[in-house]
Amino acid sequence: MAGQLPVSPLALPMPKLPPIAGVRLATAEAGVRYKGRTDVLLAELAEGTSVAGVFTKNLCPGAPVTWCREVLPGGTARALVVNAGNANVFTGAAGARAVEATAKAAAATLGAQTGEVFLASTGVIGEPLPAERIVAVMDQLKADLTEDRFAEAAKAIMTTDTFPKGATRTAKLGGVEVRINGIAKGSGMIAPDMATMLSFIFTDAAIPASALQAMLSKSVEGTFNCVTIDSDTSTSDTVLLFATGAAGNKPTEDPGQLADFRRALHEVLHELTMLVVRDGEGAQKLVTIKVEGAVSHASAKKIALAIANSPLVKTAIAGEDANWGRIVMAVGKAGEPADRDKLGVAVGGVWMAKAGGVVPGYDETPVVAHMKGREIELVVDIGLGEGHATVWTCDLTHGYIDINGSYRS
Amino acid sequence: MAGQLPVSPLALPMPKLPPIAGVRLATAEAGVRYKGRTDVLLAELAEGTSVAGVFTKNLCPGAPVTWCREVLPGGTARALVVNAGNANVFTGAAGARAVEATAKAAAATLGAQTGEVFLASTGVIGEPLPAERIVAVMDQLKADLTEDRFAEAAKAIMTTDTFPKGATRTAKLGGVEVRINGIAKGSGMIAPDMATMLSFIFTDAAIPASALQAMLSKSVEGTFNCVTIDSDTSTSDTVLLFATGAAGNKPTEDPGQLADFRRALHEVLHELTMLVVRDGEGAQKLVTIKVEGAVSHASAKKIALAIANSPLVKTAIAGEDANWGRIVMAVGKAGEPADRDKLGVAVGGVWMAKAGGVVPGYDETPVVAHMKGREIELVVDIGLGEGHATVWTCDLTHGYIDINGSYRS
């Protein structure tokens, strides 16, 4: 699949990600499913690396998610192994065996504990993962480990992604400059919670696992969990954050001291989130949906997601049609407090409708021009309170049907 | 739109609907939106006609829905006016005025009370309904009223429907044979609750409004409310059931005496429901989803709808791919009790997966053949209890994008 799809018109170039002290990466062609491309990533993490994770809320998670949940409380990580092409989901006992074999091989190769190996898989569901192919390249991966391979890592984890995704920031922590790099993959079967498919964040900061977890969980709520491509929630979604401590700062849990790091981490997650939306399957337009005036922030988010998940709204946007009737329909189906006669809808900054009807003298010229662009902004004013939320999605096009009607063939 | 779309490959011929004593119908070209086709229906109902109704749960309903809700408690009906092409939704005070003008004109023309006129509109949302065009043809409609016009009525209410929809049954009620005719329109923006868009049922039985309402509400739950085309819930969905009493049976509310009528009514609703699914926008396949073994019937229905609403399941079916991984994903995202390792999935009567993994020795040959057909059946066994439910949907194809990406253009 990947490589055969045309690159999304919303793609952005992969930024140059600098090395992160304490992180070494290698990729290989394991032949799990694809031919002629890398499909497995090994990350070696320095001793003492702390880890935080957030996973899919889908009740039928993949075996790697189950594995990560079990080892996460240990709080330390020495390795990450990711494969593309097979999600190792709904594979029963064979799936658990594949996970264990992979973790054991990585641990033995790197001299780590099995419980310090983190795993993630994406790709087809319901087919046994040939773990032996991953195990077979473990020595080669170890031999290839270098600090400067984030671009290759971002490529190796792609499935229907049409471009690799990465982001980087620096932050000040206890007077020391620390780095944060993130890579992500994801373009379909994406909806809260989780909205990410896979994302791996690496920092050289020294931060205890509990503080790391608190920051990651909070930031995911406002980034990956505010995205929907198709309302479908993956069984594999995983975000892992590794902090090697190699930057040499004094470890801290103090929220004040962590403020700048928290800002930088959030920026990395936000940037990766936007890249995932830009690569939504078949996406031609990046859509930002802002809901204001709801009775609460939670209510605003539900309404925003109802709009973002509506196939009729998404096809209208694909057709460059500012069809506010469908937006009103989606508000009404959200089940949240709303009053038809207080609603307002703006597209591209122009209020088309207010107080339940079309704005008198409404001129659709600027709205039509906005709809022809690549980045679409909808604002809905519920008119009832102070709750607000922003979510992101893409349009629903023939490309989505093409990609998903023939995924396994 | 209607008439330009290719007829659904799942279409069935419109059955011959016999006259219903006490019902006279007429259609006209009012030019509300379409040119060269009928777009308005007038039904005249005998004095003493009782009425029941079920409406959308969308919180932003159209003005005609608001109107019907207000007059329904009166319990009697003398007229029904339906127009296609403009839904009179999100039209503010102008919408309410249009509704009132239409009802007044129909009442004056037929010598009825305004509160005995029922109204329904479907079509584009957010544009003022030119009620004067409907009022202008009212005299012509009255002059054309005849008992034998159900086929024309079914055509006049179509929007993106590709074929007219009707069903008929007879029943015994107090020793008298009574007739039930139903027509329906609907092909997109369809999801519980309500799943029908518009459906109008006429019977010559004499049944008090309260008994009529109880039967209608219950039957809708298992028919129109078990359908989803695109997860989007219309702002206009309306089912109205009119009982003229012209058959001459003794009116009754006795459940035992009404049993045969209830059976026949349910059959009419079921048949109309299936016709709506067969005309799902872009539908190439009719999909039946049965969930069993859930912890309750309600839980089973939620899981079945999560599967039916999943764009990834629906595109896989369009691609004739028995991708059970996506079915498992959809079960997991429903949020209902489920255990990955107890799940079973059957397609076309063949169990592909049981107890959380692929069935040993699974031969996909008959499944592949089933997926190439027009009628697809999925069965999911949750493995936890006795709850079961059946819902219906269609596949998600390029046709859906074509229809909805350019609906207003």
Side-chain angles (χ1 to χ4, degrees):
Chain A
M1 263 64 54
Q4 301 164 13
L5 296 170
V7 173
S8 168
L10 305 171
L12 294 178
M14 173 87 182
K16 169 77 186 152
L17 270 51
I20 298 280
V23 179
R24 296 200 304 158
L25 303 166
T27 62
E29 296 185 22
V32 168
R33 180 176 183 84
Y34 308 115
K35 303 290 170 206
R37 56 156 278 189
T38 57
D39 61 351
V40 59
L41 163 67
L42 173 66
E44 182 202 46
L45 305 159
E47 279 196 43
T49 293
S50 58
V51 58
V54 181
F55 307 96
T56 181
K57 290 182 184 167
N58 192 302
L59 293 173
C60 297
V65 170
T66 304
W67 174 271
C68 286
R69 284 196 175 117
E70 279 169 14
V71 300
L72 187 68
T76 61
R78 289 295 314 286
L80 167 71
V81 184
V82 187
N83 76 274
N86 183 315
N88 193 11
V89 169
F90 208 56
T91 44
R97 281 195 301 272
V99 156
E100 204 173 317
T102 308
K104 276 190 176 162
T109 305
L110 299 180
Q113 299 296 313
T114 309
E116 295 176 314
V117 179
F118 286 75
L119 302 173
S121 303
T122 57
V124 71
I125 295 177
E127 294 185 10
L129 173 68
E132 66 281 4
R133 297 188 198 167
I134 300 172
V135 171
V137 296
M138 204 58 81
D139 284 335
Q140 174 199 329
L141 283 164
K142 183 189 175 187
D144 283 350
L145 286 168
T146 60
E147 287 201 333
D148 197 11
R149 277 233 168 83
F150 283 99
E152 291 168 44
K155 275 186 197 163
I157 63 176
M158 289 164 61
T159 58
T160 56
D161 302 65
T162 71
F163 61 91
K165 300 167 184 70
T168 185
R169 289 292 187 282
T170 58
K172 285 282 186 185
L173 184 49
V176 177
E177 184 174 271
V178 300
R179 287 176 175 172
I180 308 173
N181 280 359
I183 61 173
K185 76 139 319 279
S187 54
M189 200 184 280
I190 283 180
D193 303 288
M194 293 280 305
T196 173
M197 300 296 289
L198 302 182
S199 181
F200 308 105
I201 322 290
F202 304 88
T203 178
D204 53 6
I207 302 174
S210 58
L212 218 51
Q213 184 67 50
M215 288 188 288
L216 181 66
S217 295
K218 182 156 177 26
S219 205
V220 162
E221 271 310 304
T223 54
F224 290 122
N225 275 355
C226 285
V227 164
T228 180
I229 301 303
D230 51 16
S231 82
D232 279 336
T233 307
S234 164
T235 50
S236 302
D237 293 333
T238 298
V239 183
L240 291 166
L241 166 57
F242 302 101
T244 67
N249 66 291
K250 198 177 154 194
T252 178
E253 302 207 30
D254 178 67
Q257 286 193 47
L258 285 169
D260 194 52
F261 181 89
R262 202 161 51 236
R263 185 262 319 153
L265 174 65
H266 191 78
E267 286 179 9
V268 167
L269 291 178
H270 179 78
E271 195 166 313
L272 292 172
T273 298
M274 292 299 100
L275 292 169
V276 167
V277 183
R278 285 175 177 275
D279 208 6
E281 287 173 343
Q284 296 289 314
K285 294 172 192 290
L286 170 66
V287 185
T288 302
I289 299 168
K290 296 183 180 183
V291 170
E292 53 193 44
V295 296
S296 68
H297 294 336
S299 179
K301 189 169 174 181
K302 276 191 193 166
I303 293 169
L305 286 171
I307 299 167
N309 279 327
S310 161
L312 287 171
V313 170
K314 292 156 75 78
T315 48
I317 293 170
E320 304 186 338
D321 179 10
N323 190 325
W324 77 78
R326 294 188 185 171
I327 298 170
V328 171
M329 173 279 299
V331 171
K333 80 166 183 168
E336 290 297 307
D339 179 341
R340 179 184 66 192
D341 297 331
K342 290 185 177 169
L343 277 185
V345 178
V347 173
V350 178
W351 288 93
M352 311 166 70
K354 276 194 173 176
V358 67
V359 170
Y362 162 62
D363 170 17
E364 73 173 0
T365 312
V367 174
V368 169
H370 180 77
M371 293 301 296
K372 290 189 189 301
R374 288 290 183 196
E375 304 196 8
I376 308 297
E377 186 187 88
L378 311 180
V379 179
V380 175
D381 182 5
I382 305 299
L384 295 180
E386 301 295 321
H388 58 85
T390 301
V391 307
W392 299 276
T393 188
C394 59
D395 53 345
L396 174 57
T397 72
H398 284 294
Y400 184 84
I401 309 282
D402 285 334
I403 294 166
N404 288 299
S406 59
Y407 181 67
R408 294 205 313 177
S409 54
Chain B
M1 259 65 55
Q4 302 165 13
L5 295 172
V7 173
S8 168
L10 305 171
L12 294 178
M14 174 87 181
K16 169 77 186 152
L17 270 52
I20 298 281
V23 180
R24 296 200 304 158
L25 302 166
T27 62
E29 296 185 22
V32 168
R33 180 178 183 84
Y34 309 115
K35 303 290 170 209
R37 56 155 279 190
T38 57
D39 61 351
V40 59
L41 163 66
L42 174 66
E44 182 202 46
L45 305 159
E47 279 196 44
T49 293
S50 59
V51 58
V54 181
F55 306 96
T56 181
K57 291 183 182 167
N58 192 301
L59 293 173
C60 297
V65 170
T66 304
W67 174 271
C68 285
R69 285 197 175 117
E70 279 168 15
V71 299
L72 187 68
T76 61
R78 288 295 315 284
L80 167 70
V81 184
V82 187
N83 77 274
N86 183 315
N88 194 11
V89 169
F90 207 57
T91 44
R97 282 195 300 271
V99 156
E100 205 171 316
T102 308
K104 278 190 173 161
T109 305
L110 299 181
Q113 300 296 314
T114 310
E116 295 176 315
V117 179
F118 287 75
L119 302 172
S121 303
T122 57
V124 71
I125 295 177
E127 294 183 10
L129 173 68
E132 66 281 4
R133 297 188 197 167
I134 300 171
V135 171
V137 296
M138 204 60 79
D139 285 336
Q140 174 199 329
L141 283 163
K142 184 190 175 187
D144 284 350
L145 286 168
T146 60
E147 286 201 334
D148 198 11
R149 277 231 168 84
F150 284 98
E152 292 169 42
K155 275 185 196 164
I157 63 176
M158 289 165 58
T159 57
T160 55
D161 302 66
T162 71
F163 61 92
K165 300 168 185 69
T168 185
R169 290 290 188 283
T170 58
K172 286 282 185 186
L173 183 50
V176 177
E177 184 174 270
V178 301
R179 287 176 175 171
I180 307 173
N181 281 358
I183 60 172
K185 74 139 320 284
S187 55
M189 200 186 280
I190 283 180
D193 302 287
M194 290 283 302
T196 172
M197 299 297 288
L198 302 182
S199 182
F200 308 106
I201 323 288
F202 305 88
T203 178
D204 53 5
I207 301 175
S210 57
L212 217 52
Q213 184 67 51
M215 287 188 289
L216 181 66
S217 295
K218 182 156 177 27
S219 206
V220 162
E221 271 310 303
T223 54
F224 290 124
N225 276 354
C226 286
V227 163
T228 180
I229 301 302
D230 51 15
S231 81
D232 280 335
T233 307
S234 165
T235 49
S236 302
D237 293 334
T238 298
V239 183
L240 291 166
L241 167 56
F242 303 100
T244 68
N249 66 291
K250 196 177 156 196
T252 178
E253 301 209 31
D254 178 66
Q257 285 193 47
L258 285 168
D260 195 50
F261 181 88
R262 203 161 50 236
R263 184 260 322 152
L265 174 65
H266 192 78
E267 287 178 10
V268 168
L269 291 177
H270 179 79
E271 195 166 313
L272 292 173
T273 298
M274 291 298 100
L275 292 169
V276 168
V277 185
R278 285 175 177 275
D279 209 5
E281 287 173 342
Q284 295 289 313
K285 294 172 193 287
L286 171 65
V287 185
T288 302
I289 298 169
K290 296 183 179 180
V291 170
E292 53 193 44
V295 296
S296 68
H297 294 338
S299 180
K301 189 168 174 182
K302 275 192 193 166
I303 293 170
L305 285 171
I307 299 168
N309 279 327
S310 162
L312 287 170
V313 170
K314 291 156 77 80
T315 48
I317 292 170
E320 303 186 340
D321 179 9
N323 190 326
W324 76 78
R326 293 186 185 172
I327 298 170
V328 171
M329 173 280 298
V331 171
K333 79 167 182 167
E336 290 297 307
D339 179 340
R340 179 184 66 191
D341 298 331
K342 290 184 177 171
L343 278 185
V345 178
V347 172
V350 178
W351 288 94
M352 311 165 71
K354 277 194 172 174
V358 66
V359 170
Y362 162 62
D363 170 17
E364 73 173 2
T365 311
V367 173
V368 168
H370 179 77
M371 294 301 296
K372 291 188 189 300
R374 288 288 184 197
E375 304 195 8
I376 309 297
E377 186 187 88
L378 311 180
V379 179
V380 176
D381 182 5
I382 306 298
L384 295 180
E386 300 296 320
H388 58 85
T390 301
V391 307
W392 299 276
T393 189
C394 59
D395 53 344
L396 174 57
T397 72
H398 284 293
Y400 184 85
I401 309 282
D402 285 335
I403 294 166
N404 288 300
S406 58
Y407 180 68
R408 295 204 312 176
S409 55

